[in-house]
Amino acid sequence: MLSDIKVSCSPHISGPLSTRRVMVDVIVALLFPMAAAGYYFRIHAVILIGTCVVSCAAAEWLCCAIRRKPSTLDDFSAVVTGILLALSLPPRIPAWAAVVGSVFAIAIGKMVFGGLGANVFNPAMVGRAFLTASFGMLMTTWTTPATLDPNMSRIDRGNIIAAREHVIRGRTQATPLAWSKMAIKRRLGGETYDDQFFAATVTGEVGGCLGETSAIALLMGGAYLLIRRTIGFHIPLAVLLSAFVFAGAAYLKDSWTYVHPFFHLTSGGLLLGAFFIATDPVTAPLTRRGMWIFGLGVGTLTMLIRIVGEYPEGVMYAVLLMNAVTPLIDRLFRSVPVGGKPNV
Amino acid sequence: MRLGIVRSRSFRGGTHAAQKKELTREKPIEPGPAVGEVAVMLSQHIGSTCRPVVKKQDKVSAGQAVGECDAFVCAPVHSPVNGVVREVALRSHAVLGRSMAVVIQPDPQENPPKLPAAEMFAPDFDEEAYSPEQICDAVLRAGIVGMGGAGFPTRVKIEPDPRFPKDTMIINGCECEPYITCDYRIMLEWTGRIAAGIKLAKRAAGCSRVLVGIEDNKPDAIDALRAALEAGGIRNGIEVLAVRTKYPQGGERQLIKAILGKNVPAGGIPPMIGVVVLNVATAAAIAEAVVCGRPLTHRVVTVTGEAIARPGNYYVAIGTSVRELIEFCGSVTEKSAKVVLGGPMMGIAVADLETPITKTTGAITVLTAEQIGKAKFERRRTACIRCGRCLQVCPESLNPTRIAHAVKSNLIDEAERNYMAACIECGCCSYVCPANIELTGYIKTGKIFLARQKKRMPQ
Ligand code: SF4
Ligand code: SF4
């Protein structure tokens, strides 16, 4: 007969999901863009991802040790942060800068708030913002994909105009967005953007941050997360839809100056942001309606920065800004109890 | 219906937990053990506790009332056996911790329980032979309470109340909890009895229509009840409906939403919108009480779980101890297990195997050590990652993580403001939480806290 009777509160069974499983799912989905990064940027991808993951994990372990708390490494959230940070950095950024960014992301972006679940801002984006603010030059130095130039030479700003010829021939350097911005500024016009260029942004054979170039790999990773129900479709859909509408409106108004909305969707960090960064549960709203608003905000702000603002790219700032208003969204869009009114 | 797609009747939220009903769904109801002792709890329902009306050494006969009460919200309790009162003493109670019980030693010649003849509840059963007052009176005297789990005295529910006129009666045959099959078995085997009970309850409550809701994973039960209720001639306002299989479809608020599309006010009760909900087992008990004059002394209990050697559905004397039932089912196959009164989602784990069965115990589920290992309290807990899953599954659309964290920080008023009282304790939020937070546990704790604070106020 029974010698050991357990008691606990109901429910006595539980679903299969755990925090670690959520994180591992994200890592698995990130394998797609990581593979694309490896294909286009070869050894640089390996070095950068390795550096970021290891230093994020080390930073997390250290912070836990300092706080005399059990290590939280086994929830794998630090690994996710490391990969996301690596994927959003220029491929040939020096390793020391990657380490600095990683440590900042974990220590300031996450652990000072109290660790996983308590941080207000997406840690990877905090790390990236710190690097952008401190080492602007490093953060805008791009690399030609290995498939175009086996030397993977660095591209500096001066090259952009010289690269126009390449662009027209479908060989792109710098980032597509930087290119389009430049084209607008110098009144080169939208004609420089053609189908070959678009195709390059889909496959990823363009300059850009390590993991953002290949739209197809990002879409595959996003689809995996959606199928596994690790993320809801609300945020990605809201981000992409609002970005598309905004870019579409600009395009309709002046199709010579502004590039086609599809181009905006496939290039830059929009897909990476929509599927992997804006969907970070910790820093996004809790309710479905809140998620819609959050996604709309990220998409619109990104496009506002890209089209109206000074910078060619705006996903990072858009996400960070929306992270900041997430508590507000949570207040405004509370869940309404069945048969009742929202609480005050 | 919308866009040509038939929306299956359901509610928002909920989970699809593993059903596990196959362990006992094909097992016909069998007589339970002839026991060495029954402990009839004096509090088996919501409302006032009964006072014992027998004392030590008294002889009692089967069906004799041993506990009575004059309060309005109360139900008497009866002896299930012929025997002698051994004592009136404290026994472990699944909900109350400890409570007084009348402990009866059955006559050695006592036979296993017999069911009333099925012929008494023929398909052409005529409820008009009984007046509404007669029915209410019989239900009161038989001590019938809601047998689905809550245990609210049935007489109070069905008696016409001028404050809340009732026009619709909903009969709950969902049985959405995993593992449990007692209601399913009685729907198949006691169809006539349930049909008669439904007609009687309808007459007593004066409802114009009755809607029977059964989950669509029990098509045979739906067919059986449909046939039984329609065989008695015209439908006379009684309809059997299939509702979607989803936990907690059997929650009365969720069932009302699924069937009528109406929400009961938050923290309110169904009569506020003119609805009364009865469980199928309660309907069967009403029929037995009114037609045979038989008090509620036995019920069908599903003894199940992976750790039980011979799971099955048994007709058991109320007051039988959990231990005797488990031993009757070939004991437990493991050394370490969790014994749950009820199903795994809402049931209560007991530490004392001498805890007696009450009128509301539909099942004993014994979970194995391995299953326990997978449950929340054994698994690694992380901080809330704010994934929002608990909000999405909550059938009452609450914010479980907010309430739970308020309780955790001792902010009971904050929890109250977030509708803690509207939580039906279904367990969905804990079930899905990836951070393994015992959200339901915190919320239950908060409710107890609040009740205690309120009690302390001067009277
Ligand atoms: S908060 Fe209450 S009603 Fe909502 S899912 Fe949790 S236990 Fe169920
Ligand atoms: S399900 Fe758990 S982790 Fe997710 S929001 Fe609710 S409490 Fe937090």
Side-chain angles (χ1 to χ4, degrees), chain A residues 269-293:
Chain A
L270 195 65
L271 288 173
L272 184 68
F275 286 110
F276 295 97
I277 296 172
T279 52
D280 168 20
V282 177
T283 53
L286 274 170
T287 59
R288 292 239 168 97
R289 283 192 302 156
M291 288 177 186
W292 281 114
I293 301 297

Side-chain angles (χ1 to χ4, degrees), chain B residues 35 37-42 44 53-54 58-68 76-86 102-107 110 113 141-142 294-298 316-320 359:
Chain B
V35 292
E37 172 191 294
V38 289
V40 181
M41 281 288 172
L42 287 169
Q44 308 195 16
V53 293
V54 290
D58 276 3
K59 259 187 144 59
V60 290
S61 54
Q64 181 187 334
V66 295
E68 278 174 357
V77 293
H78 305 80
S79 167
V81 291
N82 298 311
V84 179
V85 176
R86 193 189 282 161
V102 175
V103 183
I104 301 159
Q105 178 154 29
D107 214 319
E110 176 71 23
R141 274 186 291 111
R294 218 175 123 99
L296 180 55
T297 56
H298 291 74
V316 179
I318 290 165
T320 307
K359 293 172 185 174

Side-chain angles (χ1 to χ4, degrees), chain B residues 17-34:
Chain B
Q19 293 272 316
K20 301 286 188 75
K21 300 213 189 241
E22 58 287 352
L23 285 175
T24 53
R25 66 179 291 155
E26 304 306 329
K27 302 266 170 71
I29 300 167
E30 285 172 31

Side-chain angles (χ1 to χ4, degrees), chain A residues 286, chain B residues 384-390 401 405 429 432-435 437 439:
Chain A
L286 274 170
Chain B
C384 166
I385 56 168
R386 291 176 36 90
C387 65
R389 283 183 174 82
C390 52
T401 175
H405 283 88
C429 49
V432 295
C433 177
I437 301 169
L439 297 159

Side-chain angles (χ1 to χ4, degrees), chain B residues 390 393-396 398 400 422-429 440 443:
Chain B
C390 52
V393 297
C394 177
E396 293 294 333
L398 305 178
C423 167
I424 59 166
E425 302 177 11
C426 65
C428 288
C429 49
T440 315
I443 297 173

Side-chain angles (χ1 to χ4, degrees), chain A residues 176-231:
Chain A
L177 285 175
W179 167 252
S180 80
K181 199 90 194 177
M182 199 60 83
I184 293 165
K185 244 190 210 157
R186 311 211 170 194
R187 307 222 157 274
L188 294 176
E191 88 242 21
T192 50
Y193 162 77
D194 61 9
D195 287 351
Q196 273 180 317
F197 201 169
F198 179 66
T201 62
V202 171
T203 57
E205 206 172 37
V206 287
C209 294
L210 187 62
E212 71 177 24
T213 59
S214 174
I216 193 92
L218 289 165
L219 282 173
M220 276 152 68
Y224 174 82
L225 288 183
L226 285 172
I227 291 167
R228 297 273 301 164
R229 293 188 179 228
T230 308
I231 58 170

Side-chain angles (χ1 to χ4, degrees), chain B residues 32 126 179 191 198 326 348 367:
Chain B
D126 181 20
Y179 289 93
T191 321
I198 292 173
I326 293 179
I348 293 161
L367 300 169

Side-chain angles (χ1 to χ4, degrees), chain A:
Chain A
M1 194 60 185
L2 279 172
S3 55
D4 176 22
I5 302 175
K6 306 264 187 189
V7 282
S8 81
C9 201
S10 66
H12 306 286
I13 52 174
S14 123
L17 212 62
S18 66
T19 301
R20 184 192 301 185
R21 184 135 160 199
V22 170
M23 296 301 167
V24 169
D25 259 351
V26 175
I27 294 172
V28 170
L30 282 169
L31 287 176
F32 293 98
M34 281 199 277
Y39 178 69
Y40 289 117
F41 299 106
R42 307 287 149 94
I43 186 72
H44 301 302
V46 179
I47 293 173
L48 185 52
I49 295 173
T51 314
C52 286
V53 168
V54 169
S55 35
C56 277
E60 172 127 345
W61 182 84
L62 215 80
C63 288
C64 289
I66 292 169
R67 292 173 69 207
R68 292 175 205 282
K69 289 265 162 73
S71 161
T72 48
L73 271 183
D74 59 350
D75 60 26
F76 288 123
S77 62
V79 177
V80 172
T81 301
I83 297 174
L84 282 177
L85 179 63
L87 292 185
S88 57
L89 293 180
R92 291 189 70 176
I93 194 166
W96 61 263
V99 172
V100 170
S102 304
V103 172
F104 195 87
I106 294 293
I108 308 297
K110 184 163 99 175
M111 298 316 266
V112 292
F113 289 97
L116 180 69
N119 49 308
V120 177
F121 298 102
N122 184 308
M125 289 300 102
V126 171
R128 191 182 190 279
F130 175 69
L131 289 178
T132 309
S134 319
F135 315 106
M137 197 61 205
L138 291 178
M139 292 296 286
T140 46
T141 306
W142 310 103
T143 308
T144 322
T147 47
L148 289 180
D149 171 7
N151 297 330
M152 288 188 270
S153 54
R154 291 207 169 126
I155 315 161
D156 59 51
R157 286 156 185 273
N159 275 356
I160 290 179
I161 297 308
R164 186 181 169 210
E165 287 306 301
H166 295 292
V167 173
I168 293 172
R169 294 206 313 277
R171 306 189 128 215
T172 59
Q173 296 180 337
T175 73
L177 285 175
W179 167 252
S180 80
K181 199 90 194 177
M182 199 60 83
I184 293 165
K185 244 190 210 157
R186 311 211 170 194
R187 307 222 157 274
L188 294 176
E191 88 242 21
T192 50
Y193 162 77
D194 61 9
D195 287 351
Q196 273 180 317
F197 201 169
F198 179 66
T201 62
V202 171
T203 57
E205 206 172 37
V206 287
C209 294
L210 187 62
E212 71 177 24
T213 59
S214 174
I216 193 92
L218 289 165
L219 282 173
M220 276 152 68
Y224 174 82
L225 288 183
L226 285 172
I227 291 167
R228 297 273 301 164
R229 293 188 179 228
T230 308
I231 58 170
F233 63 87
H234 313 81
I235 294 179
L237 192 65
V239 171
L240 298 178
L241 215 62
S242 55
F244 185 81
V245 169
F246 198 116
Y251 183 71
L252 284 183
K253 185 166 159 270
D254 183 357
S255 64
W256 198 82
T257 315
Y258 300 109
V259 289
H260 196 275
F262 275 136
F263 173 82
H264 271 299
L265 291 193
T266 53
S267 48
L270 195 65
L271 288 173
L272 184 68
F275 286 110
F276 295 97
I277 296 172
T279 52
D280 168 20
V282 177
T283 53
L286 274 170
T287 59
R288 292 239 168 97
R289 283 192 302 156
M291 288 177 186
W292 281 114
I293 301 297
F294 180 84
L296 285 178
V298 170
T300 315
L301 282 175
T302 303
M303 283 304 139
L304 203 66
I305 297 171
R306 277 187 187 181
I307 292 175
V308 184
E310 262 307 297
Y311 294 103
E313 178 56 306
V315 175
M316 175 181 79
Y317 294 114
V319 169
L320 288 174
L321 276 170
M322 290 313 289
N323 285 166
V325 294
T326 290
L328 204 68
I329 297 177
D330 269 342
R331 279 194 90 81
L332 287 176
F333 297 92
R334 289 165 192 268
S335 45
V336 182
V338 168
K341 289 189 204 68
N343 47 357
V344 275

